[in-house]
Amino acid sequence: MEQSANTGHPRRWAILGVLVVSLLVVVLDNTVLNVALRTLADPVHGLGTTQSELEWAINSYTLVFAGLLFSFGVLGDRFGRKRFLLVGLALFGLASLLSAYAHSPAQLIGARALMGVGGAAIMPVTLSIISNVFDPRERGKAIGVWSGAVGLAIAIGPILGGTLLEHFWWGSVFLINVPVVIVGLIAVALLVPESRNPRPGRIDILGVLMSVVGLVGLTYGIIKGGEDGFGQPEVLITGLGGLAVLAAFVWHESRVAFPSLDVRLFKSPRFSAPIAAIGLTFFASMGVFFFSSFYLQLVRDYSPLQTGLLFLPFAIAQLIFAPRSHAMVQRFGAKAVTATGLSLVTLSLIGFVFVDAQTAVWFLLLDFFVQGVGMANIMAPATESIMSALPREKAGVGSAVSNTIRQVSSALGIAILGSILAAVYRGQIEPTTTALPGPIREVANESISGAYGVASGAGAAGNNLIAAANDAFMTAMHWAAGGGAIILAVGIVAALVWMPGRQAGADHVQPVEVEAEELATAG
């Protein structure tokens, strides 16, 4: 049988390179910031930010980013993906400049929120442009490269951040984005073609607004719950209110003539099962990345650069295995590859249960490498399964749903696993801090970084406090890692039950049957 012609864009691989750079700058920014937290808390070399302000420097970005991802994916499909990519890059560059020269924690938090707006415009259109410029037969390989870039950015961010902090002031971790954005803007303008849904129908204004309100409410509730406890009235009102609005959004989308999201897609295992796999993976893994940074810099006393270098095996694993995951899916099927990936990430979390203050460096390197191999074999096949369930003109919806789940799950993982970490830490450290004055005792009980700050002014008694804080943190980290492993074990079962097998996984050219024609007319 004669091979059909390749329908991809002639410059598709150059376009992919531009999109990967655009994606790198967004994902890399969050991981760069993780190694700068200790510097930002320094009143001399940083901004003197409190623990709560540090969390909001991260979470203001996450809140806006997660809240707008879905809407921007839908609007990019309608008004032009290249246009949204250019606007998003420009906003991200401007906000990076404002972050670099912030004079107070409040200014930094506000600038980070603006970065979230730019990131939300960039992230979904990168994946939807890939779906439009690549032939379905090459799309899996291209998405493997895209997924590898996500993992690479997660890992090289701490290395870049550590290098910058050793030679420059803290604002350099944001300022580095500006020249990359300028190059990206020029490359996008010259290389990336414009694309949009040719039959968009009427815009679902109510649905778009409901998605923003629901996602912002849910994400805010998750973040505040991680800070103050999930039983607080503000947390319950915003979190449960967000869930209620999202439930109303689903009901509305199932009945409106021109839905932003055809909720019937979730009836298909090819769409819903990989979304669940991505969500559970980032729930567990981002929680680990969050507390492992404190473990490496405080308990093990590694510099920001050394901490970043210890994450390097994760990046190497992503570079090696993510581009090859498409071939693995073709050979073994999405079910087997995704379940294996989830099992490897689970194994890496179990490894953290056995980590202590004297664990050999080779063990840490191996554990991060195993985690990287696992995530490389989850992200690419799961993302390809999601995107192949939609026709090209609806690519932004699939990308936005996938990335929204990833962001909300990351926030949920940091909040819930962080709450486990904080609760166990407090229970372990309190017997040691009973003799301290009230305000100082509360700071030491709040976090390991707070205990280190108290210990620095406590003279000889500070050594005992640091030892107790390290022991309390290690116990808390073991509980959090164990909780993440249990969550991922549920994901393994879900993948084995609902992910498509080898034959279905290989046959990914056609969208899910009922959607192709109906979605094109539904807009």
Side-chain angles (χ1 to χ4, degrees):
M1 185 176 179
E2 186 178 348
Q3 181 75 19
S4 59
N6 191 308
T7 60
H9 193 279
R11 297 194 303 268
R12 57 193 177 278
W13 294 107
I15 293 168
L16 178 62
V18 174
L19 297 177
V20 164
V21 171
S22 302
L23 177 71
L24 278 173
V25 75
V26 175
V27 180
L28 186 139
D29 179 74
N30 264 347
T31 53
V32 164
L33 183 59
N34 281 337
V35 297
L37 296 178
R38 191 175 180 181
T39 304
L40 284 169
D42 190 315
V44 177
H45 300 101
L47 294 175
T49 51
T50 65
Q51 180 78 11
S52 177
E53 288 168 340
L54 285 175
E55 291 177 1
W56 274 108
I58 296 174
N59 291 333
S60 61
Y61 178 89
T62 302
L63 179 66
V64 175
F65 191 68
L68 295 177
L69 260 175
F70 175 75
S71 297
F72 281 5
V74 172
L75 295 175
D77 277 345
R78 181 182 181 88
F79 296 112
R81 296 167 184 129
K82 177 179 180 177
R83 179 178 301 168
F84 263 68
L85 182 55
L86 288 169
V87 171
L89 282 169
L91 274 176
F92 196 87
L94 174 63
S96 297
L97 192 63
L98 294 174
S99 296
Y101 292 101
H103 296 295
S104 69
Q107 289 180 10
L108 178 61
I109 291 168
R112 289 277 298 162
L114 183 59
M115 290 176 75
V117 178
I122 295 168
M123 176 70 83
V125 297
T126 59
L127 190 52
S128 55
I129 290 171
I130 288 173
S131 293
N132 276 271
V133 301
F134 279 89
D135 186 283
R137 291 166 296 184
E138 292 182 320
R139 184 170 53 200
K141 183 178 180 181
I143 288 177
V145 174
W146 182 92
S147 300
V150 174
L152 178 65
I154 290 172
I156 67 172
I159 300 173
L160 177 62
T163 303
L164 290 170
L165 288 172
E166 287 201 356
H167 296 92
F168 306 102
W169 98 114
W170 63 265
S172 62
V173 301
F174 299 109
L175 196 62
I176 192 68
N177 294 333
V178 177
V180 179
V181 164
I182 292 172
V183 172
L185 284 168
I186 295 170
V188 169
L190 294 176
L191 291 174
V192 177
E194 184 61 280
S195 63
R196 54 173 59 87
N197 187 344
R199 295 182 294 273
R202 293 194 300 269
I203 188 168
D204 178 21
I205 296 176
L206 179 59
V208 167
L209 292 175
M210 290 173 73
S211 71
V212 173
V213 172
L215 286 168
V216 168
L218 175 62
T219 309
Y220 181 83
I222 290 168
I223 292 169
K224 288 295 290 182
E227 285 185 356
D228 305 329
F230 288 92
Q232 298 297 317
E234 182 182 2
V235 172
L236 293 173
I237 290 171
T238 55
L240 294 179
L243 278 176
V245 173
L246 288 176
F249 168 75
V250 171
W251 178 86
H252 170 75
E253 294 298 290
S254 68
R255 285 160 175 77
V256 70
F258 300 94
S260 299
L261 173 64
D262 193 325
V263 294
R264 292 170 296 174
L265 286 169
F266 290 95
K267 295 179 181 178
S268 167
R270 279 177 59 192
F271 190 81
S272 55
I275 283 177
I278 289 174
L280 291 171
T281 300
F282 275 86
F283 175 93
S285 298
M286 290 304 101
V288 171
F289 269 103
F290 181 73
F291 61 65
S292 62
S293 180
F294 287 98
Y295 162 73
L296 293 171
Q297 291 192 62
L298 294 173
V299 177
R300 301 301 296 267
D301 197 30
Y302 290 123
S303 70
L305 178 57
Q306 291 172 325
T307 299
L309 289 173
L310 285 170
F311 288 124
L312 191 58
F314 181 93
I316 293 172
Q318 291 283 324
L319 284 175
I320 294 172
F321 290 95
R324 291 169 173 79
S325 61
H326 177 58
M328 299 294 289
V329 170
Q330 288 185 314
R331 183 173 182 181
F332 300 107
K335 180 194 295 282
V337 174
T338 304
T340 301
L342 286 165
S343 299
L344 289 173
V345 178
T346 304
L347 182 64
S348 72
L349 264 66
I350 293 173
F352 260 98
V353 175
F354 297 98
V355 165
D356 59 30
Q358 286 79 41
T359 297
V361 171
W362 68 262
F363 183 88
L364 298 173
L365 296 173
L366 177 62
D367 204 51
F368 284 127
F369 183 80
V370 170
Q371 185 179 12
V373 174
M375 288 190 70
N377 285 288
I378 297 168
M379 279 294 292
T383 303
E384 162 63 359
S385 183
I386 293 166
M387 300 307 293
S388 66
L390 293 165
R392 287 186 176 188
E393 63 269 15
K394 300 291 289 187
V397 174
S399 173
V401 170
S402 171
N403 285 300
T404 298
I405 291 296
R406 185 172 65 82
Q407 286 296 318
V408 172
S409 297
S410 296
L412 191 62
I414 291 172
I416 293 180
L417 296 182
S419 293
I420 295 173
L421 189 79
V424 176
Y425 171 83
R426 179 179 287 272
Q428 294 290 314
I429 195 69
E430 278 181 344
T432 305
T433 61
T434 51
L436 295 174
I440 296 178
R441 181 173 66 248
E442 186 59 34
V443 171
N445 288 344
E446 181 188 12
S447 66
I448 184 173
S449 56
Y452 268 67
V454 170
S456 64
N463 293 331
N464 293 331
L465 179 59
I466 287 176
N470 286 345
D471 290 341
F473 182 83
M474 294 308 307
T475 302
M477 188 176 78
H478 294 159
W479 277 92
I486 293 170
I487 293 294
L488 277 178
V490 175
I492 296 170
V493 175
L496 291 172
V497 172
W498 288 299
M499 283 289 286
R502 188 169 67 86
Q503 184 176 3
D507 182 23
H508 59 271
V509 174
Q510 295 297 324
V512 176
E513 282 79 357
V514 296
E515 285 109 33
E517 182 178 349
E518 293 178 358
L519 283 176
T521 56

